[in-house]
Amino acid sequence: MGDLGTAQFSAVVVVLLLVLFYGGTFLISTRIGKKEENADGYMTAGNNIGFGISAASMTATWIWASSMYASATSGYTYGISGPIHYGLWGALMILFIYPFGKRIRQVAPRAHTLAEVMFARHGRSSQLMLAGSNVVGSIISLMSNFIAGGVLISMLSPFTFIQGVFCVAGGVLLYTLWSGFRASVLTDFVQVVAMLGAVAVIVPVIFFAAGFPAAFETGAANLTPEQGNFFSSEAFLGQGAPYIAAVLAYAIGNQTIAQRLFAVREDLIKPTFVTATVGYGAMVIGVGMLGVLALYLGFEPTGGDLNNLIPEMAATYLPTVLLAVFFIMIIGALSSTSDSDLSALSSIAMADIYGQNISTKADANPRTMLLVGRITMVVATAIAIAFASLQLNILDLLVFVGALWGALVFPVLASFYWDKVTNKAFTVSVIAALALFIPVRFSLVPMSGPFGLLVEVLSVVGIGVVLGLMVFGFLGLRVARVVGVVAALASAPFVFGFLRDYATLSASLVAYAVSTIVCFAMSIGNKERFDFAVIQDVTGDFDEDPADVVREAETALDETDSDLAKEA
């Protein structure tokens, strides 16, 4: 190790730490591997995971290295309220999943992906639209985590950024390829226990090593008035509000979350997501406060790259042993989400692309499905490595993907509750939402005149939609309608002539509003009603258990004998 400002591990130490972590996770995955792998087990582990494993996996999946880096970036950018906006709203979104999750499992108890359910509900265009959005989202997520790993390794060792990316990508692929989703959830349990313990020790140590609490008194001059204000409107509009909309979309549209929803025992959905809510909030807010500390200290990350903030704070203030613990913590955080993304991508390729488009559910070969899933993991890893070399801003990526998924939230949820929603309404509403989202998000059209007014009108509607959907899951449609209307009317005076300056927030709200308006308008007049019982018949296991086949045959024979006896 060098001095505190330039602390580095030797190449040998870093290799040993990586071998320790990834070798251990690989050993765990080999212990649960099966000689004759099951395609359904590879995707959802039999839909029967218990509370401890499922809660830990949900927490670990939601907590990734990008979450920690982005929370610290938010603290450094917006002051003390930044990590609160990032961590609190993200935690609450986990909580908001469970009422919707109970409905999803009710209509599709043995599904593998949400897109698979959309195929049963609507058809191929809706299925492929949702599957495609998840492919894009998971690739970006993988890329973000590989960036975080590359930055960490390059900063704390002689290895370059690209070498660090390859180390992380290879390690994650090594153990996930073996047993798919089962490997992901079991290693998640070990990783989240280690991460929670590490955060409980590392964050306080850095604070006190940096001179807490005196640093918050002497460094107050480094803050702008907005950064020093806990109730900063700049922090809410720039971070809090966009993240509320983004993480709601993540919760509903993200296959990594849906996969755990389909895997956990149905009666354990609520305690699983409540526990994950608390674990996520505590860890992410805690780590985010390091960004606030850096702001007070006047700490400048190398090259102004905020992705360097957390690793450089750790290298500056942690002793050697705790720096090694920090290294493992970040590697564990990014790995737990990367393996979830690989499992999600493999499930989409197995169930949605091969199982229901190239083949059919009845004719799909489980062995071929497994091969497709494993090849998908390798290809996805290669693509993410290639894009990771761009070193894009992680916080911007997270908000962008979440907002992009906002176009899908209402059509997806409405499809599980409302029997009038059609395939055409789903498809057109999402395309229309994206058509407006992109020019608003990237300021391709000047936000002035009639277009700026249109964006603000739609933003008002979007506010009502977001809050209405949050309330709907817990309190039902009637209360949700009231909350949505009141929220829209109450926010209108503050939106017009003002919100157009916040492109990220406006674009996200526009996506919600347009998809909701178009989907509702195209569905309300539909006289045909969908029978939700059809979904259970179309979705389900691809592997047939011979014992189940025998039991079904015996049941059918018993019923036939009974009918013949009655006729006699």
Side-chain angles (χ1 to χ4, degrees), residues 470-522:
M470 290 179 180
V471 172
F472 169 67
F474 290 96
L475 301 177
L477 183 58
R478 181 175 297 179
V479 178
R481 283 173 174 167
V482 173
V483 170
V485 171
V486 170
L489 293 176
S491 63
F494 304 98
V495 168
F496 291 110
F498 173 72
L499 199 61
R500 66 184 66 184
D501 295 330
Y502 295 86
T504 301
L505 177 56
S506 296
S508 183
L509 293 174
V510 164
Y512 276 96
V514 172
S515 61
T516 301
I517 293 169
V518 174
C519 186
F520 178 82
M522 294 183 66

Side-chain angles (χ1 to χ4, degrees), residues 199-532:
V199 168
V201 174
I202 287 171
V203 173
V205 168
I206 292 179
F207 262 73
F208 285 108
F212 175 84
F216 282 86
E217 298 174 3
T218 58
N222 293 324
L223 277 67
T224 66
E226 282 291 328
Q227 289 173 330
N229 180 10
F230 184 80
F231 299 101
S232 166
S233 60
E234 190 69 27
F236 178 75
L237 292 169
Q239 172 64 64
Y243 200 58
I244 293 172
V247 294
L248 178 59
Y250 263 98
I252 302 305
N254 193 334
Q255 170 59 19
T256 63
I257 308 301
Q259 199 164 15
R260 279 146 185 81
L261 174 63
F262 289 126
V264 66
R265 255 176 46 196
E266 197 167 347
D267 60 315
L268 296 176
I269 291 175
K270 180 178 179 179
T272 292
F273 285 92
V274 170
T275 303
T277 297
V278 176
Y280 173 90
M283 178 178 285
V284 171
I285 292 174
V287 173
M289 287 301 170
L290 294 179
V292 178
L293 177 62
L295 180 63
Y296 274 87
L297 292 171
F299 193 93
E300 291 286 343
T302 300
D305 186 353
L306 295 180
N307 292 338
N308 297 334
L309 187 61
I310 289 289
E312 288 188 335
M313 286 286 288
T316 302
Y317 294 107
L318 287 178
T320 305
V321 173
L322 287 183
L323 187 60
V325 173
F326 167 83
F327 182 87
I328 293 295
M329 178 188 77
I330 298 297
I331 293 295
L334 65 89
S335 298
S336 66
T337 304
S338 297
D339 62 36
S340 299
D341 286 314
L342 289 177
S343 296
L345 287 165
S346 67
S347 294
I348 290 170
M350 291 166 72
D352 296 308
I353 298 175
Y354 171 78
Q356 289 180 324
N357 283 282
I358 296 176
S359 181
T360 64
K361 183 176 178 295
D363 299 330
N365 185 331
R367 295 177 67 85
T368 303
M369 291 183 74
L370 286 168
L371 179 61
V372 168
R374 287 176 169 138
I375 291 174
T376 300
M377 287 189 183
V378 175
V379 172
T381 301
I383 294 172
I385 289 173
F387 280 108
S389 62
L390 300 175
Q391 290 188 260
L392 302 175
N393 183 281
I394 291 175
L395 184 57
D396 287 345
L397 288 174
L398 295 180
V399 174
F400 171 74
V401 175
L404 190 65
W405 270 327
L408 288 157
V409 173
F410 182 84
V412 168
L413 288 179
S415 297
F416 282 101
Y417 290 90
W418 194 17
D419 55 9
K420 285 189 171 188
V421 180
T422 65
N423 183 44
K424 187 175 182 181
F426 186 106
T427 305
V428 173
S429 64
V430 173
I431 293 174
L434 292 178
L436 267 177
F437 165 79
I438 292 173
V440 174
R441 175 62 184 84
F442 296 105
S443 302
L444 301 180
V445 179
M447 290 293 180
S448 58
F451 186 75
L453 181 62
L454 173 63
V455 167
E456 289 176 334
V457 169
L458 291 173
S459 297
V460 168
V461 176
I463 291 169
V465 170
V466 171
L467 295 180
L469 288 174
M470 290 179 180
V471 172
F472 169 67
F474 290 96
L475 301 177
L477 183 58
R478 181 175 297 179
V479 178
R481 283 173 174 167
V482 173
V483 170
V485 171
V486 170
L489 293 176
S491 63
F494 304 98
V495 168
F496 291 110
F498 173 72
L499 199 61
R500 66 184 66 184
D501 295 330
Y502 295 86
T504 301
L505 177 56
S506 296
S508 183
L509 293 174
V510 164
Y512 276 96
V514 172
S515 61
T516 301
I517 293 169
V518 174
C519 186
F520 178 82
M522 294 183 66
S523 301
I524 190 65
N526 181 26
K527 295 181 180 179
E528 294 184 13
R529 300 299 180 94
F530 179 78
D531 181 6
F532 286 101

